[in-house]
């Protein structure tokens, strides 16, 4: 599995079509895109980018991957191994206490990366391309402890019918 790491700030999933508009921490503006991402309160939030919207994965800067079979970003907080963490995902999804859903409109695939980086640099660094279909997604998040030594965050995407 591919895992995306952060240098300490939030991760962000930006639609490929607007990657060049994400400036990260490199901006002349008083409030950079990275600053805006850091202001997101809670596990997830949305920020405008170009003519689209990015999904910010807030809270802690945990290693994150995407499980397409579950439509879920998995955030590794604690586990002895990747295998142990992945084995706990079904139980975590079943027992999760979800926050309120938000709606996220995407034009197609998104790229997950450290919000401090400019979007144009995400292609060559620590990033993960998530092949989402264009449309509106219900996004919900939870933090779970499915095992005594396994803690993980979940950000689940469910495509809504047009």
């Amino acid at each position: 599995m591919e895992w995306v790491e952060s240098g300490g700030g939030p991760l962000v999933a930006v639609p490929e079509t607007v990657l060049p508009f994400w400036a990260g921490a490199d901006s002349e503006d008083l409030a950079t895109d990275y600053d805006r991402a850091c202001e997101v309160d809670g596990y997830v939030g949305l920020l405008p980018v170009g003519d689209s919207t990015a999904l910010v994965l807030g809270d802690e800067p945990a290693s994150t991957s995407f499980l397409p079979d579950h439509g879920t970003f998995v955030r590794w907080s604690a586990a002895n191994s990747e295998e142990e963490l992945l084995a706990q995902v079904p139980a975590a999804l079943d027992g999760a206490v979800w926050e309120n859903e938000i709606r996220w409109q995407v034009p197609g695939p998104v790229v997950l990366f450290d919000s401090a980086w400019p979007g144009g640099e995400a292609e060559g660094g620590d990033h993960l391309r998530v092949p989402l279909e264009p449309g509106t997604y219900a996004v919900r998040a939870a933090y779970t402890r499915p095992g005594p030594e396994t803690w993980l965050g979940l950000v689940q995407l469910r495509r809504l019918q047009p």
Side-chain angles (χ1 to χ4, degrees):
M1 288 202 59
E2 290 184 60
W3 294 89
V4 175
E5 307 243 341
S6 162
L11 296 175
V12 63
V14 177
E16 281 183 331
T17 59
V18 294
L19 273 176
F21 296 103
W22 184 267
D26 298 337
S27 175
E28 304 279 324
D29 297 332
L30 290 175
T32 66
D33 289 336
Y34 173 74
D35 293 332
R36 294 186 313 133
C38 288
E39 290 175 3
V40 167
D41 189 28
Y43 298 128
V44 293
L46 299 174
L47 291 177
V49 180
D51 64 356
S52 195
T53 308
L55 178 68
V56 177
L57 305 184
D59 193 39
E60 63 180 60
S63 295
T64 303
S65 192
F66 187 75
L67 302 178
D69 292 347
H70 297 287
T72 303
F73 288 104
V74 176
R75 314 203 66 210
W76 184 340
S77 294
N80 291 320
S81 68
E82 179 179 292
E83 293 76 22
E84 178 182 295
L85 180 88
L86 296 175
Q88 293 290 337
V89 168
L93 287 166
D94 288 341
V97 177
W98 300 99
E99 290 189 336
N100 291 335
E101 282 187 352
I102 59 174
R103 298 284 188 264
W104 183 31
Q105 178 74 36
V106 296
V110 300
V111 179
L112 180 72
F113 58 97
D114 185 332
S115 61
W117 295 353
E121 292 180 17
E123 297 172 10
D126 189 14
H127 72 283
L128 178 65
R129 183 179 187 270
V130 180
L132 297 180
E133 293 293 322
T136 302
Y137 289 79
V139 180
R140 62 184 186 168
Y143 187 80
T144 67
R145 295 181 179 189
E149 297 181 20
T150 306
W151 305 350
L152 55 122
L154 302 168
V155 178
Q156 190 173 53
L157 310 177
R158 182 174 41 89
R159 189 162 184 255
L160 301 174
Q161 295 303 319

